[in-house]
């Protein structure tokens, strides 16, 4: 058997491009993701409204980070991203607005196996706040870094689900209009841009909504905001919501009837927008 060629990797992934076929079909390369069921390994659970399935951070971490790098999740929720960081050997920093959710996610994250001694830090606060970059940099400094190697954003899909039941004004799910959501979310995008290393990637996981008799393209509104912030759009992935329909769509006959009667289609997908921060940024151009 001839010797394998020397590994060739990119600046942002451990994937050996010389032997790229070895990674198929494990690593997705197409723009349509259909996962037949939710991965329930480790301490993952689908009991929280807004959870995304573990396969999303799995794919993103494998494609856009190297072992030992640092991943930033600005909408931590129940810790899906940081659990995958432990599994895949990446350090993780997560920010969560609600203290009770942060406490619950901490238990799940710490309950996951951690054979490589991965560090995961959870910050309680508003990802849109002006002091967020400084707080995240304090966590990054432990790793000798000023910037994260990958950013993941999985915000509320507008006001579809109220995560704090109106108790927290900072909660994006408590907005009074879709444009208010976009404007406030832009502050999170700006923080992510500032905290991400030049040349590295940000993933935005979001879906659309239906209100007042019309489809509201939240995904494309936020995509445009990211591009206006300076990010370069690399891919639009359409992911079916099989496996994480909780709070994002229903299959009951009542909803089918409403769709037929009112002329719309039931939500069966969400988006994974992939952006890259240019190597020559606004600050150093």
């Amino acid at each position: 058997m001839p010797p394998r060629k020397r590994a060739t990797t990119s600046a942002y992934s451990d994937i050996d491009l010389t032997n790229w076929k070895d990674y198929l079909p494990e690593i997705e390369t197409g723009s349509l993701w259909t996962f037949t069921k939710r991965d329930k390994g480790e301490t993952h659970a689908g009991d929280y409204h807004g959870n995304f399935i573990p396969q999303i951070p799995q794919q993103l971490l494998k494609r856009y980070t190297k072992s030992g790098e640092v991943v930033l999740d600005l909408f931590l929720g129940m810790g899906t991203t940081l659990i995958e960081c432990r599994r895949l050997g990446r350090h993780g920093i997560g920010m969560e607005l609600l203290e009770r959710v942060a406490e619950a996610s901490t238990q799940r994250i710490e309950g996951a196996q951690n054979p490589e001694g991965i560090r995961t830090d959870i910050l309680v606060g508003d990802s849109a706040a002006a002091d967020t970059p400084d707080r995240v940099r304090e966590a990054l400094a432990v790793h000798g870094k000023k910037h994260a190697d990958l950013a993941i954003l999985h915000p509320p899909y507008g006001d579809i689900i109220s995560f704090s039941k109106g108790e927290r004004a900072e909660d994006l799910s408590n907005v009074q209009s879709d444009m208010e959501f976009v404007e406030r979310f832009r502050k999170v995008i700006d923080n992510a841009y500032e905290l991400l290393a030049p040349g590295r990637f940000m993933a935005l996981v979001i879906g659309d909504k239906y209100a007042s008799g019309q489809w509201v393209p939240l995904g494309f509104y936020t995509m445009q905001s990211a591009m206006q912030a300076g990010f370069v759009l690399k891919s639009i992935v359409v992911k079916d919501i099989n496996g994480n329909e909780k709070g994002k769509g229903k299959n009951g006959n009542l909803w089918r009837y409403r769709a037929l009667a009112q002329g719309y289609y039931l939500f069966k997908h969400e988006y994974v927008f992939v952006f890259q921060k240019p190597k020559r940024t606004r600050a150093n151009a």
Side-chain angles (χ1 to χ4, degrees):
M1 178 181 295
R4 291 172 66 93
K5 295 181 180 179
R6 185 176 179 179
T8 301
T9 61
S10 69
Y12 52 80
S13 172
D14 286 329
I15 295 174
D16 178 4
L17 298 174
T18 305
N19 300 288
W20 61 272
K21 291 183 180 179
D22 294 348
Y23 298 89
L24 305 178
E26 174 191 356
I27 303 295
E28 294 283 350
T29 57
S31 63
L32 176 62
W33 291 3
T34 55
F35 302 113
T36 56
K37 61 181 179 179
R38 180 187 185 88
D39 188 342
K40 295 184 179 179
E42 290 293 345
T43 55
H44 290 304
D47 56 349
Y48 178 69
H49 283 294
N51 256 14
F52 61 176
I53 65 172
Q55 290 95 319
I56 293 178
Q58 284 171 17
Q59 291 292 325
L60 296 172
L61 268 61
K62 291 176 182 178
R63 281 291 306 273
Y64 300 116
T65 61
K66 292 177 176 286
S67 178
E69 291 190 330
V70 182
V71 178
L72 172 64
D73 186 334
L74 288 174
F75 293 90
L76 181 63
M78 288 305 295
T80 305
T81 295
L82 267 58
I83 292 171
E84 288 305 304
C85 283
R86 285 198 172 202
R87 290 187 62 247
L88 298 175
R90 278 72 167 162
H91 301 289
I93 300 171
M95 178 163 279
E96 169 56 42
L97 176 65
L98 304 178
E99 186 172 358
R100 58 178 170 76
V101 176
E103 291 174 354
S105 64
T106 297
Q107 294 180 4
R108 290 192 181 179
I109 294 164
E110 292 182 350
Q113 297 183 37
N114 190 13
E116 298 184 39
I118 290 301
R119 181 184 176 103
T120 51
D121 294 285
I122 298 175
L123 309 177
V124 178
D126 179 8
S127 295
D131 67 344
T132 290
D134 289 338
R135 295 186 63 200
V136 172
R137 286 195 189 96
E138 290 180 5
L140 286 167
V142 176
H143 306 280
K145 288 176 172 286
K146 294 182 179 179
H147 297 92
D149 301 297
L150 171 68
I152 297 177
L153 277 60
H154 185 217
Y157 298 0
D159 59 357
I160 294 177
I161 302 168
S162 178
F163 287 92
S164 63
K165 307 301 181 183
E167 298 172 4
R168 296 293 300 271
E170 309 97 316
D171 184 353
L172 287 173
S173 68
N174 292 331
V175 295
Q176 299 301 307
S177 70
D178 298 322
M179 289 304 99
E180 180 189 353
F181 174 87
V182 174
E183 291 172 4
R184 290 174 55 186
F185 183 59
R186 171 61 189 269
K187 296 177 181 177
V188 183
I189 293 175
D190 287 340
N191 283 343
Y193 189 95
E194 183 176 343
L195 289 164
L196 186 64
R200 302 309 292 264
F201 293 80
M202 179 185 79
L204 167 58
V205 183
I206 192 168
D208 297 327
K209 56 177 281 190
Y210 197 82
S212 301
Q214 62 182 333
W215 189 290
V216 181
L218 278 184
F220 292 102
Y221 289 159
T222 54
M223 177 196 75
Q224 187 66 31
S225 289
M227 295 169 67
Q228 290 171 348
F231 283 105
V232 175
L233 180 64
K234 298 292 288 188
S235 288
I236 301 175
V237 173
V238 176
K239 182 210 156 290
D240 74 355
I241 60 172
N242 181 61
N244 74 322
E245 298 91 346
K246 191 178 182 70
K248 295 180 183 176
K250 297 180 175 66
N251 293 320
N253 287 332
L254 174 61
W255 289 92
R256 292 191 179 98
Y257 170 81
R258 287 176 175 173
L260 290 170
Q262 298 177 25
Y264 66 87
Y265 290 89
L266 296 175
F267 288 106
K268 293 291 184 179
H269 72 279
E270 57 194 346
Y271 308 104
V272 182
F273 295 104
V274 179
F275 304 92
Q276 187 174 27
K277 180 177 177 177
K279 290 184 179 180
R280 291 181 60 82
T281 67
R282 295 175 299 184
N284 61 24

